[in-house]
Amino acid sequence: MAYEVEPPKYVRLAQTLQRRIEDGTYAPGTRVPSENQLVQAFGMSRPTVVRALDLLKRDGWLESRQGFGTIVRGRPEVVEQKDRRGREALERDESQGGGRLIEVGRVSVPARVASALGLPKRAEVLMRRSLVEEDGEAVELVSSYFPAGLVEGTDLEVGEPLGGSTREHLEARKKVRFDHVTERVSARLPEAREAELLDLPDGVPVLSILVVACDASGRALQVSDVLLPADRQELEDTYRLS
């Protein structure tokens, strides 16, 4: 029997505020209620309210302006990168190659993924991990994580490639709808298993693109950690000056 863990209070509050931004209750450019007002309105502690607001600021829904308080920015725009690796992680057809499925199973949620999924530390999630190789060399490791309660009634736990992408499979089986994606790019040293799969010498870092795919309410449906060996990558972006 699977048990779905309820997200922490600050995550639930952040999701409620996201919905109010989406439906126009808090319009872009306006101020959100003060911390005191939110504490009274939702019956939550000040630390919980502060964490929820910090989460929304970090993900681009809100911003602090000196002299004005906390301002609504609206739904964050999806960052378009030239290589679009994040989107590929969601839309890659597992049956058509472009990646070799190497691990499927339930694991304790990694700390870097827990907050994105709104789960407590050590909660159980499903992981599907694929390795992309070019000319016999590992160039990309994609580990996708799904809340345990979301995988019931799907084939995500089957250790075989899906007949399509994980996004298509979830939308068809669970009647959910992917709405927007946030990508967080950082650099870190790989874990031992990650370094082994990518065939990395000691001390070589990886670029991590954490792809958080959400529905319209802001609930994370899938988080993919796309790892690129830093010694084999060259990232380029172009933007307009105005």
Side-chain angles (χ1 to χ4, degrees):
M1 179 181 295
Y3 298 92
E4 187 167 2
V5 181
E6 188 175 37
K9 287 184 178 179
Y10 78 95
V11 174
R12 300 203 304 271
L13 176 57
Q15 291 172 341
T16 298
L17 296 178
Q18 282 179 344
R19 288 192 289 271
R20 294 191 177 187
I21 293 171
E22 291 281 351
D23 66 19
T25 302
Y26 303 146
T30 63
R31 291 199 308 177
V32 296
S34 67
E35 292 176 9
N36 285 337
Q37 290 172 324
L38 291 173
V39 167
Q40 294 175 3
F42 293 97
M44 295 184 177
S45 67
R46 183 180 297 276
T48 296
V49 169
V50 170
R51 289 191 70 184
L53 293 175
D54 285 345
L55 180 61
L56 293 173
K57 291 174 187 175
R58 184 193 68 189
D59 287 347
W61 293 82
L62 304 174
E63 66 176 328
S64 295
R65 292 184 189 173
Q66 189 172 4
F68 290 92
T70 301
I71 306 299
V72 177
R73 295 183 62 186
R75 179 189 296 175
E77 294 183 4
V78 177
V79 177
E80 294 289 344
Q81 293 185 316
K82 273 190 174 295
D83 54 15
R84 301 167 67 90
R85 293 178 189 266
R87 184 166 184 172
E88 288 176 5
L90 299 176
E91 300 184 349
R92 178 182 292 123
D93 186 337
E94 292 188 350
S95 66
Q96 298 299 316
R100 176 167 54 91
L101 187 66
I102 55 175
E103 293 180 28
V104 178
R106 298 205 176 205
V107 299
S108 294
V109 62
R112 61 185 176 276
V113 176
S115 62
L117 283 175
L119 296 175
K121 295 179 180 178
R122 294 182 293 279
E124 185 180 74
V125 295
L126 177 72
M127 180 188 73
R128 293 179 68 86
R129 174 172 281 173
S130 298
L131 185 67
V132 179
E133 297 173 313
E134 293 180 1
D135 299 325
E137 181 180 56
V139 296
E140 184 176 322
L141 181 66
V142 183
S143 303
S144 295
Y145 301 90
F146 308 85
L150 189 63
V151 303
E152 298 298 322
T154 74
D155 293 335
L156 291 176
E157 292 192 89
V158 177
E160 299 290 338
L162 299 172
S165 68
T166 54
R167 172 185 176 178
E168 292 170 336
H169 190 75
L170 279 173
E171 289 187 334
R173 290 292 184 90
K174 303 297 289 187
K175 306 306 178 185
V176 295
R177 181 175 176 80
F178 285 72
D179 181 76
H180 60 276
V181 170
T182 300
E183 295 185 3
R184 305 169 188 166
V185 182
S186 61
R188 63 177 175 86
L189 289 175
E191 298 174 0
R193 177 59 173 160
E194 294 169 342
E196 176 187 356
L197 291 170
L198 289 169
D199 194 23
L200 292 175
D202 291 342
V204 175
V206 291
L207 292 177
S208 168
I209 304 176
L210 197 66
V211 185
V212 184
C214 303
D215 62 15
S217 73
R219 177 177 62 131
L221 303 173
Q222 174 179 338
V223 174
S224 296
D225 194 6
V226 182
L227 297 187
L228 313 172
D231 61 344
R232 304 169 200 167
Q233 301 296 323
E234 181 176 331
L235 299 182
E236 179 182 347
D237 195 11
T238 301
Y239 58 92
R240 185 180 302 278
L241 296 174
S242 57

